[in-house]
Amino acid sequence: MRTLPGLLILTTFIGSGLCAVYQQLNDLKQEHFDFVVVGGGAAGAVVASRLSEVKDFQVLLIEAGPSNEGVLLSEVPFFAFDIQNTPYDWNFTTTPQKFADGRVIPYARGHILGGSSAINLMVYTRGSLDDFNRWARVTGDSGWSWDEMFPYFLKNERFVQPTDGRNITGDFDPSIHGYDGMTQISVPNHLQKLFDMRCFEAADELRGNFEFTLDMNNGTLLGTGWAQGTNGGGSRSSSATSYLTREITRRKNLHVLLNTRVTRLRRSEDSSSNGPEFDSVEAFGDGNGSRIFQASKEVILSAGAIGSPHILFHSGFGEAQELQAAGITPLVDLPSLGKNLTDHPFLLVDFMAENTEPNVLANSTLLEDALEEWKNSKTGPLADIPTNNLVWGRLPSDSAFDDPGPGPNAPHWELILALNLGPTPEPHVTAAISIVSPTSRGTLTINSSDPFDSPVIDPAFFTTAVDVEAGRDAVRNARKFFGAKAWEGYVVSEGPLSKGAESDEELDAFIAGNFLTTWHSSSTAMMSPKGADYGVVDPDLKVKGIKGLRIVDASIMPYIINGHPLAAVYVIAERAADMIKQDWTS
Ligand SMILES: Cc1cc2nc3c(=O)[nH]c(=O)nc-3n(C[C@H](O)[C@H](O)[C@H](O)COP(=O)(O)OP(=O)(O)OC[C@H]3O[C@@H](n4cnc5c(N)ncnc54)[C@H](O)[C@@H]3O)c2cc1C
Ligand SMILES: *[C@@H]1O[C@H](CO)[C@@H](O)[C@H](O)[C@H]1NC(C)=O
Ligand SMILES: *[C@@H]1O[C@H](CO)[C@@H](O)[C@H](O)[C@H]1NC(C)=O
Ligand SMILES: *[C@@H]1O[C@H](CO)[C@@H](O)[C@H](O)[C@H]1NC(C)=O
Ligand SMILES: *[C@@H]1O[C@H](CO)[C@@H](O)[C@H](O)[C@H]1NC(C)=O
Ligand SMILES: *[C@@H]1O[C@H](CO)[C@@H](O)[C@H](O)[C@H]1NC(C)=O
Ligand SMILES: *[C@@H]1O[C@H](CO)[C@@H](O)[C@H](O)[C@H]1NC(C)=O
Ligand SMILES: CC(=O)N[C@H]1CO[C@H](CO)[C@@H](O)[C@@H]1O
């Protein structure tokens, strides 16, 4: 993948005048709160922001990473790929992946206020109605259904016009969007005219899987359409920029502690109290100091699908034998913790092209001009997320496999269409494939008793036959798409990495040698019905059998969303905040 030339400074300015935002552990004097929220990522920022709307609640939000303010790599949408392997990324890697013959895959996670919403690719998809209706079915709680969750999409969303000022009638369905929520959503800010136009011509020509869809966020996630992004006014809209604005962090009852890592939860010393069973949070600053913070009402874990189970393992939650093997004393028997890790594998398929738009990231003169334009007016190529057009398709209806997804409105694979995204020499176009209906299940575990050691991340990509078949089907459909007449005089040939891979075996070798992750980890602390003997949290997101502890983040998804998951994380967090408020204000 491309890298930025070295001319960029990481930060434009260091935030100042922040009221209840503490840069270092010892800046915060207070030790007792009503709620302690662990992890200031997508979900954690929502929960802390919403809970602090209740003036009586004292809320502490603890984030391991630094502030998002002035971080240019996070603000500029087109730099989304370039923020990985910086101080804003946890820099994880997977275990050697079996299908990839032992290859290890880099595994980015946001380490910054806003979490992964501050470093992700910003593609906004709600998923399909079938995803949410399956959640309702398998948890026995109709509150998770599409219809009941729909108001939360609107509550989260502030749909805004793109910054190029064009008329976007016909590019989205205005009737299904929210206009006065928190997270800004927009269709592309900058068109790649030659490329975008051909994408839709190819869709019209090919139909079937590629049929144009007016708005892929209407509950049916199928066909070809304009990408919508979590960006507005030409800048990234993360959970930090939207839910933790200066106005919000000025609230006297909200305390945001940065650069502080939570290592463990500790059991309450007073078992007869009405407070949480695990009421203390052990936190380490950037130096070597540690502190204990206490919650009198609830501790809410929002450290993400990797971070939340990691903290729980080190606190003695999990399967006893696994904990003992890592040198940890088991306290709470929770065998499902860390099981069922699910993610979407990612695969770049390149096609050599001619007459493409110039690539700003490959030419430092163009980049400087584009950055100047972005700074002046938030327009131009840098105002855009890395893709303008997406295709969502399904395995053929006569496939030998049962539907791996939640139902007919959900896709099995995605083609993220972009210029010069892949590894081959320029100019080229790329279909970045994501297998969005994975049936492979991995694990998150630990192999040490030191909470500062990385957890062991095994997404077990492509370990089921249907996932591999979906991979082959997606590559064949990428070829079909870029083989359309619409691309004559533009796409020249398939890129050298995949060219000539025709048989199943040849395709499998290409996939195995090249797949990466879409960074959508989920389901490591899955919801299950109340009383079930598997799962980690109940449908109200309370950890089974434990008083005063909830998990609110991507780890609770009983099944991964067959689409990009951030919107789902936002609505999970919005609903969770309502449930918590209800429990403590009625
Ligand atoms: C590179 C990348 C690209 C992506 N692209 C997209 C996309 O285009 N569209 C989309 O919908 N989704 C995308 N995603 C996924 C999406 O961003 C995540 O699903 C979502 O952010 C998960 O939200 P979360 O709250 O569960 O976790 P996160 O947003 O990751 O937040 C977890 C937070 O907890 C903090 N934390 C972790 N451990 C600790 C600890 N011990 N102490 C204190 N704090 C801690 C982290 O630093 C982080 O801020 C992408 C993700 C990545 C990484
Ligand atoms: C991730 O790696 C980069 C590059 O090596 C490094 O600068 C950064 O500090 C690392 N991130 C963290 C959170 O340690
Ligand atoms: C945008 O285009 C639509 C249909 O083409 C038209 O009805 C509408 O008036 C236009 N809006 C503006 C602001 O020009
Ligand atoms: C969404 O829109 C498409 C047309 O673009 C339509 O076929 C589909 O039925 C709609 N889905 C829902 C759930 O309304
Ligand atoms: C994993 O998820 C499945 C449902 O997809 C469930 O039946 C199973 O019990 C889960 N495994 C564990 C260990 O919780
Ligand atoms: C970079 O772009 C500028 C402006 O379009 C052009 O003059 C120059 O030749 C390009 N440089 C390279 C190396 O392509
Ligand atoms: C533990 O896991 C980490 C992360 O996967 C790995 O780097 C390390 O080598 C493992 N250590 C042992 C002792 O297995
Ligand atoms: C960075 C930091 O806080 N370092 C401290 C670690 O602990 C020693 C001894 O207590 C202090 O002297 C350091 O300042």
Side-chain angles (χ1 to χ4, degrees), residues 39 41-43 63-64 90 110 115-116 120-123 262 519 553-554 564-566:
E63 166 55 37
W90 284 80
S116 299
N120 77 5
L121 299 189
M122 286 161 284
V123 176
V262 169
W519 312 277
D553 58 29
H564 298 256
L566 178 60

Side-chain angles (χ1 to χ4, degrees), residues 167-178:
N167 185 335
I168 56 170
T169 306
D171 294 350
F172 78 117
D173 177 355
S175 72
I176 60 163
H177 288 275

Side-chain angles (χ1 to χ4, degrees), residues 239-254:
S239 67
T241 69
S242 54
Y243 284 87
L244 296 173
T245 60
R246 287 187 172 207
E247 203 186 329
I248 291 171
T249 56
R250 224 171 264 142
R251 290 176 189 156
K252 290 204 167 52
N253 60 331
L254 174 60

Side-chain angles (χ1 to χ4, degrees), residues 38-46 61 63 112-117 239-240 244 302-303 570:
V38 178
V46 176
L61 175 64
E63 166 55 37
I112 179 173
L113 196 61
S116 299
S117 79
S239 67
L244 296 173
S302 297
Y570 278 135

